[in-house]
């Protein structure tokens, strides 16, 4: 696959990331399927067969939405997102995610896949904020992807599914704390500007 480029020529980290969103779920499903087969767990194989196509399709449609958001974004938004993705090494993250997804094997590895997908979801969320989507339901799409991923990686094991759920709750608490911090910082800056006017 040719490296995606921006109009100025360098590699577009956003386009690489969006392409990775199409490839990563395929690697996750393939790795989960292989791990379930190696364990001889027919129930887990069936669960992957049911949830796998949903995960692949949902993430591909999310990638489509992000690509559409990029097409509608202005130059400053795109440059800002490119800088953010370059600084956060999104290309390395997606490469590592693909490698980990391919060799799930044990439940701790499946947890590792779930954790790295949480980082990917943060990048999706920040892109949504940067491109200023006009509809709020896209965050529900990310939640939906989570539920599908957890059901598939849990493989019908209630302990595994519970552990994945706890990790997801921790992730949501982190996002809430970050949003509260950003809001407090914004209010402090606004207060300082108003105080300077007096």
């Amino acid at each position: 696959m040719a490296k995606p480029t921006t109009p100025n020529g360098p590699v577009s980290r956003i386009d690489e990331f969006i392409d990775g969103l199409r490839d990563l779920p395929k690697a996750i499903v393939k790795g989960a399927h292989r791990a379930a087969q190696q364990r001889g767990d027919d129930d887990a194989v069936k669960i992957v067969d049911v949830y796998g196509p949903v995960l692949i399709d949902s993430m591909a449609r999310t990638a489509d939405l992000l690509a559409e958001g990029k097409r509608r974004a202005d130059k400053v938004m795109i440059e800002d997102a490119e800088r953010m993705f370059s600084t956060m090494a999104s290309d390395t993250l997606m490469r590592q995610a693909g490698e980990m997804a391919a060799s799930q094997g044990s439940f701790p590895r499946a947890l590792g896949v779930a954790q790295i997908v949480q980082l990917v979801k943060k990048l999706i969320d920040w892109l949504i904020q940067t491109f200023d989507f006009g509809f709020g339901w896209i965050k529900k799409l990310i939640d939906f992807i989570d539920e599908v991923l957890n059901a598939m990686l849990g493989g019908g094991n209630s302990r595994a599914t519970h552990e994945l759920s706890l990790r997801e709750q921790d992730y949501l608490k982190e996002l809430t704390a970050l949003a509260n911090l950003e809001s407090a910082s914004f209010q402090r800056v606004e207060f300082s500007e108003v105080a300077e006017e007096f």
Side-chain angles (χ1 to χ4, degrees), residues 176-197:
T176 302
L178 180 60
N180 290 339
L181 177 64
E182 288 173 347
S183 177
S185 297
F186 179 73
Q187 288 174 354
R188 190 172 53 240
V189 168
E190 272 192 337
F191 179 75
S192 297
E193 288 173 356
V194 169
E196 284 177 8
E197 289 177 8

Side-chain angles (χ1 to χ4, degrees), residues 55-127:
L55 181 69
I56 291 168
D57 201 25
S58 297
M59 287 189 75
R61 291 177 191 212
T62 301
D64 292 343
L65 284 172
L66 293 176
E68 178 187 328
K70 184 186 175 205
R71 281 192 298 274
R72 291 182 309 167
D74 63 37
K75 185 179 177 184
V76 174
M77 286 177 176
I78 293 172
E79 287 174 354
D80 191 33
E82 288 286 350
R83 191 174 300 114
M84 177 181 70
F85 272 51
S86 177
T87 305
M88 293 182 176
S90 61
D91 54 336
T92 304
L93 173 66
M94 294 304 278
R95 185 171 55 254
Q96 294 298 96
E99 288 174 11
M100 186 176 284
S103 60
Q104 291 170 40
S106 64
F107 180 63
R109 284 191 183 227
L111 278 180
V113 171
Q115 284 182 300
I116 208 162
V117 169
Q118 286 180 348
L119 296 175
V120 170
K121 287 185 317 190
K122 284 184 179 179
L123 291 178
I124 292 171
D125 191 45
W126 291 332
L127 258 190

Side-chain angles (χ1 to χ4, degrees), residues 34 40-41 43 119 149 176 181:
R34 185 183 310 121
D41 189 340
D43 289 338
L119 296 175
L149 181 68
T176 302
L181 177 64

Side-chain angles (χ1 to χ4, degrees), residues 134-194:
F135 38 85
W137 59 261
I138 196 165
K139 296 216 179 201
K140 290 181 174 54
L141 177 61
I142 295 172
D143 292 340
F144 175 76
I145 289 169
D146 262 341
E147 293 293 328
V148 172
L149 181 68
N150 289 349
M152 190 181 71
L153 292 179
N157 180 317
S158 59
R159 184 186 68 80
T161 303
H162 179 68
E163 182 66 29
L164 288 163
S165 176
L166 289 177
R167 290 190 184 238
E168 185 57 28
Q169 289 171 38
D170 289 343
Y171 167 74
L172 293 173
K173 286 176 190 171
E174 286 175 21
L175 288 184
T176 302
L178 180 60
N180 290 339
L181 177 64
E182 288 173 347
S183 177
S185 297
F186 179 73
Q187 288 174 354
R188 190 172 53 240
V189 168
E190 272 192 337
F191 179 75
S192 297
E193 288 173 356
V194 169

